Amino acid sequence: MPDRENLMDKIVALCKRRGFIFPSSEIYGGIGGFWDYGPLGVELKRNVREAWWQDMVLRHDDTTPPPGMPSPYAMVGIETSIIMHPQVWKASGHYDLFHDMLVDCRHCKARFRADQLATSQCPEKPSKRPGEHTTCDLTPPREFNLMFKTYVGALVDPESEAYLRPETAQGMFVNFRNVLATARVKLPFGIAQIGKSFRNEITPRYFTYRSREFEQMEIEFFCRPEESRLWYEYWRDRRLRWYVSLGLGSDRVRLREHSPEELSHYSCGTADIEYAFPFLPPGEFGELEGIAHRGDFDLRSHMEGKLVRRDGELVVETGPNGKPTHPGSGKDLSYFDEETGERLIPHVIEPSAGVDRSVLAFLCEAYDEDAIPDEKGVPQPRVVLRLHPRLAPVKAAVLPLIRKEGMPEIALELYRELKKTWNVDYDDKGSIGRRYRRQDECGTPYCFTVDGQTLADGTVTVRDRDTTHQERIKLSEVAGWLGEKLGGG
RNA sequence: GCGGGUAUAGCUCAGUGGUAGAGCCCUGGCCUUCCAAGCCAGAGGCGCGGGUUCGAUUCCCGCUACCCGCUCCA
C-alpha cells in the first residue's frame, strides 16, 4: 500500500492526469467547491449511480420479505425538480436552519448567532457576553445563507425568491400523495431519487468531499411506527453491506451510531456510514451516508408547518400572534390502511448517500501501488486502480500484440463485437507492457491480447489487472467470458 | 470568515528584468511476439488583473484557486 502521507495528492493527481475529475471552470482560475467529471470520471460516477439504482430499485423484489423482516416492501423511483416552492424549505425547517444572521469578533475570531448574543459567552472572558469584554471587536450582524438563492421569472423581486434544493429528500415527501395515488403501493414502501443538491458551504475542502454542488442518492422509506426500529436497523445494515460489496475494505469503512446528544431534534436514531479517507488524520472517518430514523417529522411538517421540539413533543412553531411561523401545505399526508381501517402518519427511514463522496471513497480504496517484474525480472513500480468491475469505467481493453501480421484486424473485430455491450478500449500504441500499465491506471479489469498464437489456434491472452496473471481463452468465447466476469453489472 | 503556505508544459521540477529548459507523459513514423525498451520527428507552458519599467514569467499591489491550521457546517 502506498504511504498515507502523500496518498491524497497522488489520487488527486491521477484524477487530473487520467481524466477522472477536474476543477470546474479551470481555465478561468477555477471556482471553489465545484468540480467537473472527465471522460473516465463520468463513467465511474454513472456506474456508482447505476449500481445503486439497480440494487435499490430495479432489481428489488417487492414480493419477498428480506431475510428476518416481517414483510416484503415496494420500492419506486422518482425524479423531482431542483427548484421547489419556497414554502417547502420553510416548513421543512431548512430555511431557518441554513439562514443565520451571524456576528464575528475580529479580535478573538469567534462567531456568534446574532439572536443568541445575549446568552453567549466571550471565549476570552466567559463571565462576559460577546461585546462586553475590553478586547471585543464585533462586526455588525451579517447574513449567512447556506442555501443558494435565485429568482423564478425574469423579474428580480423578493416575491419571486426561490432556492436551489439543499437536499433531494423533500421531493419525495411532497410527492408522497402522488406516489400513493399512482403507484398502488402499500406500507411499507420506499421512494428513491438520485439528483443534484446545492449548499453554499463556508469552507469547501478535501477535493470533492465537501462541494457546493453535489449529488445525492436518497431513499425515503415509509413504514408503520411500530415497525420503524426494525426497518431502521435493516437499512442501516443493508446500506453498509452495499459499500462492502462494491469493494470498500471493511477495515476502512464503518458504521457509527449517533449518541443521543448528537441526534437531530426530530430523530430517534441515526447512523453514519463512514470511510477513513486518506485526507483525514489517522483514525478519523468521514461521512459517506447517513441513515436516519426521522419518525413522522417530515410528513407532519408538510401538513401542519415547521415543527420544533417542546417538552419532548414535536409541535408546530408559532409566532407572537399564535399562528405557525411557517405553515405547511394543509394537505392530508396520512396513510389509510385498508386492512385495519386505521389512519396513520407513517414513520420514515432515510438512507441518504452522497454520490460524489462514494465515488471518492471508491477511488481512494482502489488506488494502489505495487511492483511487477520487467523482462529482466527487475521489479518496476506500477499504479493500479483496483476498482470493482461493476464500477470500472472501462470494462476491458483489446490489444494487438504488434501492429502487423493481421493482429490489428482480428483485435478490431473483437473490439467491435464487445463494444456492442460494454465500454471497451482498443489500443495499439506503444509496447504491450506500456498499454497494460495505461489500463491499470484507469482501473480496466481485463485486457485481451491478440498475438501470434491467435493466428494459429484462435485463442487470445486474457491479462488480469490485479494479479497480472495471464490465461488463454478462445477468441469466440471472449464475450461470454467477460459477461460472466462482470456478472451482468 | 481568519492566519500561514503554494501557483512555470498533462506530471515532477529547473531558470531569467530582454517572453523559458529537462525528464516523464502525449502524437506521428520506424522497430518491436507479453508487462512503462530503442531511434527519428512533433505538439505543449510562466493562474488572473493592475502597477513600476523602454521591456515583467521575474519586482510591487490586488484577485482567484489549491494545501495546512482555526472557525463554521454535518
Side-chain angles (χ1 to χ4, degrees):
Chain A
M1 207 42 212
D3 70 291
R4 199 185 175 85
E5 191 69 13
N6 304 313
L7 181 53
M8 201 56 215
D9 290 342
K10 288 175 175 176
I11 291 167
V12 173
L14 175 68
C15 284
K16 178 83 188 299
R17 186 170 73 247
R18 296 311 307 264
F20 281 94
I21 297 170
F22 309 121
S24 169
S25 318
E26 195 181 9
I27 62 169
Y28 286 102
I31 174 167
F34 300 92
W35 299 91
D36 293 341
Y37 286 83
L40 289 176
V42 70
E43 299 303 332
L44 172 60
K45 190 173 172 185
R46 283 185 61 234
N47 292 340
V48 169
R49 246 191 243 120
E50 281 180 18
W52 186 89
W53 193 261
Q54 284 180 343
D55 294 346
M56 297 301 119
V57 183
L58 294 183
R59 291 179 187 169
H60 169 66
D61 167 11
D62 59 8
T63 65
T64 309
M69 299 307 290
S71 66
Y73 66 87
M75 181 67 72
V76 297
I78 197 175
E79 184 174 310
T80 68
S81 64
I82 287 173
I83 293 176
M84 304 174 73
H85 193 292
Q87 196 61 27
V88 168
W89 307 111
K90 293 182 174 169
S92 71
H94 286 87
Y95 179 83
D96 290 339
L97 186 69
F98 282 5
H99 206 235
D100 276 326
M101 298 303 286
L102 298 178
V103 171
D104 288 298
C105 178
R106 297 186 187 94
H107 174 72
C108 70
K109 310 301 181 194
R111 172 173 291 165
F112 312 94
R113 280 179 56 168
D115 59 356
Q116 291 178 354
L117 273 185
T119 55
S120 302
Q121 293 177 334
C122 171
E124 302 204 336
K125 187 108 175 162
S127 62
K128 302 262 189 186
R129 291 194 285 270
E132 293 181 341
H133 187 45
T134 48
T135 60
C136 289
D137 183 14
L138 300 185
T139 65
R142 292 182 293 182
E143 181 179 349
F144 281 72
N145 191 351
L146 278 301
M147 286 199 291
F148 281 94
K149 190 187 285 186
T150 186
Y151 297 90
V152 175
L155 186 65
V156 174
D157 179 272
E159 288 295 298
S160 61
E161 276 180 12
Y163 298 94
L164 306 192
R165 64 182 177 198
E167 63 170 40
T168 56
Q170 300 305 320
M172 282 85 108
F173 296 127
V174 302
N175 278 287
F176 178 73
R177 289 204 330 166
N178 287 336
V179 171
L180 266 187
T182 57
R184 301 173 56 233
V185 289
K186 290 195 281 191
L187 285 187
F189 70 93
I191 308 178
Q193 168 159 228
I194 298 176
K196 289 278 184 85
S197 294
F198 304 81
R199 292 187 193 181
N200 218 341
E201 297 287 353
I202 296 169
T203 313
R205 190 166 283 202
Y206 299 139
F207 200 31
T208 59
Y209 180 79
R210 180 173 297 162
S211 302
R212 293 188 165 120
E213 174 176 343
F214 57 101
E215 193 157 357
Q216 294 182 292
M217 311 183 280
E218 292 196 304
I219 294 169
E220 304 303 330
F221 188 82
F222 301 92
C223 61
R224 303 185 64 89
E226 63 271 22
E227 290 180 352
S228 62
R229 182 75 204 176
L230 206 53
W231 284 112
Y232 164 69
E233 289 166 4
Y234 168 78
W235 281 108
R236 181 194 63 191
D237 298 342
R238 175 156 182 216
R239 290 302 305 150
L240 177 66
R241 288 199 305 274
W242 186 79
Y243 290 98
V244 175
S245 76
L246 286 172
L248 281 202
S250 51
D251 59 332
R252 278 190 288 278
V253 66
R254 75 173 184 191
L255 194 68
R256 187 179 67 84
E257 292 266 3
H258 285 206
S259 61
E261 315 76 83
E262 209 179 351
L263 290 178
S264 307
H265 58 287
Y266 50 74
S267 182
C268 39
T270 296
D272 283 346
I273 294 171
E274 302 180 323
Y275 181 74
F277 285 100
F279 48 74
L280 298 172
E284 285 193 21
F285 288 70
E287 180 183 341
L288 281 182
E289 169 162 351
I291 298 98
H293 184 307
R294 297 177 62 94
D296 58 6
F297 177 84
D298 302 280
L299 289 176
R300 275 189 60 200
S301 296
H302 287 302
M303 293 170 68
E304 304 166 28
K306 185 194 169 193
L307 300 176
V308 290
R309 188 175 287 281
R310 188 170 300 143
D311 302 327
E313 292 290 308
L314 282 174
V315 296
V316 176
E317 185 182 79
T318 51
N321 58 4
K323 292 184 175 173
T325 50
H326 297 305
S329 67
K331 298 290 188 295
D332 182 6
L333 302 183
S334 66
Y335 174 87
F336 183 70
D337 189 321
E338 302 281 355
E339 287 169 27
T340 64
E342 179 191 4
R343 186 166 285 283
L344 64 127
I345 310 221
H347 277 202
V348 169
I349 312 302
E350 178 188 81
S352 170
V355 183
D356 309 270
R357 288 181 176 188
S358 300
V359 167
L360 187 57
F362 287 126
L363 274 172
C364 291
E365 183 71 15
Y367 184 92
D368 196 14
E369 295 168 0
D370 61 5
I372 53 179
D374 61 14
E375 72 269 21
K376 298 191 186 79
V378 182
Q380 300 291 340
R382 173 177 81 138
V383 171
V384 54
L385 279 187
R386 303 188 191 278
L387 289 168
H388 190 285
R390 275 182 87 183
L391 302 182
V394 179
K395 305 304 183 190
V398 181
L399 318 168
L401 185 60
I402 57 170
R403 265 190 290 181
K404 55 183 177 183
E405 296 175 22
M407 293 179 201
E409 288 75 10
I410 297 172
L412 277 170
E413 198 179 329
L414 177 59
Y415 163 78
R416 287 168 188 141
E417 181 196 349
L418 298 180
K419 194 74 177 174
K420 291 173 187 165
T421 312
W422 297 287
N423 188 29
V424 295
D425 264 6
Y426 174 83
D427 189 1
D428 61 7
K429 308 284 197 311
S431 75
I432 192 66
R434 177 188 300 270
R435 282 177 275 163
Y436 286 151
R437 297 300 182 86
R438 274 199 284 256
Q439 296 299 331
D440 290 339
E441 234 185 23
C442 61
T444 307
Y446 306 106
C447 292
F448 301 107
T449 303
V450 171
D451 53 27
Q453 202 177 327
T454 308
L455 309 171
D457 67 5
T459 62
V460 296
T461 299
V462 186
R463 185 263 194 183
D464 182 275
R465 176 196 67 196
D466 294 331
T467 62
T468 75
H469 288 157
Q470 303 187 160
E471 60 175 307
R472 298 200 73 85
I473 63 173
K474 285 185 185 164
L475 183 57
S476 58
E477 292 171 357
V478 168
W481 184 95
L482 185 59
E484 204 169 296
K485 289 288 184 183
L486 298 176

